[in-house]
Amino acid sequence: MTNKTVLHAKHLESSAKMVDFHGWEMPINYGSQIEEHHAVRQDAGMFDVSHMTIVDIKGDDAQAFLRRLVINDVAKLDVAGKALYTGMCNHEGGVIDDLIVYYFTETDYRLVVNSATREKDLAWINEQASAYSVSITERPEFAMIAVQGPQAKAKVATLLNAEQTQAVDGMKPFFSAQAGDLFIATTGYTGEAGYEIALPAEQAADLWQQLLDAGVKPCGLGARDTLRLEAGMNLYGLDMDDSVSPLAANMAWTISWEPEDRDFIGREVLATQRAAGDQPKLVGLVLEEKGVLRTGLKVITEHGEGVITSGTFSPTLGHSIAMARVPRSVKLEDTVQVEMRKKLVDVKVIRPSFARNGKKAF
């Protein structure tokens, strides 16, 4: 049976085209994926992300448990509300999921994990927690709306009361605050400023309508994918999975190697891979001539073959972009080739970040 978020009826009211997304009936677009993409880059758009999973971790061992569970070090977090992007690896060093950790106190954290990985994430987290004094609580009673774009904060501000306005005033990127019934975070998945707002499910339709009335455009999964790819953000299942090392998924920066005695899951394998320097790497590809780079296409380099993990047409740039896993010896600014319809086309290698704040980023 397909799951529906609490905003399902609102999507139908806006004539959304609905699709199955990992067991959830979700909007792919509301008529024009391109218009929705540009709305986020140029003004403000919103996404129903209620299918994502919020998990609260509490208890005397919460910090110790998370320092074992994830590859980044939550001990870095010492300001209430601060957020941390990280990966959660298996014992073989493969990425079980990427997630955001929100810090409240050393005994109180919140995780937001992907919808597609919800069941295995929860099973893994609970299995690893058995030796720790922690409680693990999924929060399905919350919906979540992401409002993104250069005008996103200003448009949300028109809806906030004095207490909520004060809670988010001057909030830096990757922070969060509980503002009345709203849990508001300056995190996102589009490369634009904005908020991710978690709130009681029964209030979600009202907030969605208020945002619509404030001129925030509803956006579907199609625009979300082109926006995140332009921003160079990984998508689980394409750019990484259980068989892929974070070193091969442009996630090395999320690994905290210090202190040396922090024994996070997968550390030994990842340290061996790091020393060997033999993992492939994730790079960006740019195709400025006609054609669209697609997932699975072969990449040919003088150092060996690679593969495109995510590819699309970039509405902001007006040409195709992609992320590809290639041999580590491939360098930025190299020209490599992609096999498209039995022809080889030249593409340029860049860092996997294509657009930020509405502009070309390379």
Side-chain angles (χ1 to χ4, degrees):
M1 184 176 173
T2 306
N3 294 306
K4 297 176 181 176
T5 75
V6 71
L7 292 169
H8 186 268
K10 301 301 291 183
H11 302 318
L12 299 183
E13 281 179 18
S14 294
S15 302
K17 180 182 178 182
M18 307 298 284
V19 298
D20 179 85
F21 180 73
H22 300 289
W24 291 84
E25 191 175 325
M26 300 295 292
I28 187 74
N29 64 57
Y30 299 80
S32 171
Q33 174 180 333
I34 298 293
E35 288 181 10
E36 293 161 24
H37 180 107
H38 289 317
V40 175
R41 284 280 179 256
Q42 299 166 8
D43 187 35
M46 61 179 169
F47 305 86
D48 176 12
V49 289
S50 305
H51 56 309
M52 295 184 73
T53 305
I54 298 173
V55 184
D56 288 343
I57 309 285
K58 296 184 180 185
D60 292 343
D61 290 346
Q63 186 188 69
F65 169 59
L66 289 171
R67 294 189 80 204
R68 168 71 175 159
L69 184 73
V70 299
I71 59 179
N72 214 333
D73 190 356
V74 299
K76 293 177 183 176
L77 301 173
D78 57 5
V79 179
K82 186 81 176 79
L84 184 77
Y85 176 71
T86 187
M88 180 167 66
C89 284
N90 55 33
H91 295 296
E92 293 73 40
V95 181
I96 294 175
D97 199 7
D98 66 332
L99 62 149
I100 293 177
V101 181
Y102 296 96
Y103 167 83
F104 306 124
T105 71
E106 292 183 5
T107 59
D108 187 0
Y109 296 82
R110 170 164 291 174
L111 313 183
V112 176
V113 303
N114 286 308
S115 62
T117 52
R118 173 186 167 276
E119 289 187 6
K120 72 165 186 173
D121 283 4
L122 289 171
W124 178 260
I125 291 169
N126 278 289
E127 180 184 338
Q128 304 311 314
S130 60
Y132 294 88
S133 176
V134 292
S135 64
I136 297 166
T137 309
E138 188 182 3
R139 305 298 300 271
E141 70 271 31
F142 289 138
M144 193 152 62
I145 299 171
V147 191
Q148 301 273 290
Q151 298 302 316
K153 289 185 177 180
K155 291 192 173 182
V156 171
T158 65
L159 310 179
L160 301 181
N161 61 31
E163 174 198 4
Q164 292 162 338
T165 299
Q166 184 176 10
V168 300
D169 183 38
M171 194 157 68
K172 296 177 181 177
F174 251 68
F175 265 87
S176 65
Q178 187 68 45
D181 285 341
L182 306 183
F183 176 72
I184 304 177
T186 45
T187 49
Y189 194 50
T190 64
E192 297 294 333
Y195 296 125
E196 292 181 313
I197 303 172
L199 72 167
E202 64 271 18
Q203 299 178 21
D206 283 346
L207 178 61
W208 185 268
Q209 186 62 50
Q210 289 173 22
L211 289 165
L212 281 174
D213 294 342
V216 180
K217 190 175 182 60
C219 303
L221 294 171
R224 189 166 171 81
D225 192 52
T226 52
L227 288 159
R228 72 92 192 166
L229 184 49
E230 285 186 352
M233 295 180 180
N234 286 1
L235 177 63
Y236 194 88
L238 290 180
D239 307 304
M240 60 188 162
D241 59 33
D242 300 70
S243 67
V244 175
S245 165
L247 299 174
N250 197 30
M251 293 173 66
W253 65 275
T254 71
I255 304 172
S256 287
W257 297 103
E258 301 291 340
E260 292 184 0
D261 62 352
R262 187 175 69 94
D263 184 25
F264 58 85
I265 296 171
R267 176 168 190 139
E268 189 174 344
V269 175
L270 297 179
T272 301
Q273 293 173 348
R274 182 193 189 201
D278 58 356
Q279 285 293 301
K281 63 182 180 183
L282 196 67
V283 298
L285 300 180
V286 174
L287 174 66
E288 294 189 338
E289 61 183 87
K290 192 176 179 181
V292 179
L293 304 171
R294 299 289 188 194
T295 302
L297 292 181
K298 185 188 299 183
V299 182
I300 298 170
T301 85
E302 62 178 298
H303 306 287
E305 291 185 359
V307 65
I308 290 178
T309 54
S310 292
T312 192
F313 175 80
S314 162
T316 300
L317 301 175
H319 56 74
S320 188
I321 58 174
M323 292 202 283
R325 188 160 292 115
V326 299
R328 186 151 292 270
S329 299
V330 173
K331 295 182 173 56
L332 300 179
E333 305 299 322
D334 277 0
T335 296
V336 299
Q337 293 180 309
V338 173
E339 188 176 288
M340 297 175 65
R341 297 180 179 177
K342 299 182 180 179
K343 292 183 179 178
L344 297 179
V345 298
D346 289 345
V347 296
K348 183 179 175 183
V349 178
I350 67 165
R351 294 186 191 282
S353 177
F354 306 92
R356 285 276 168 171
N357 299 317
K359 297 178 182 176
K360 182 178 178 180
F362 61 93

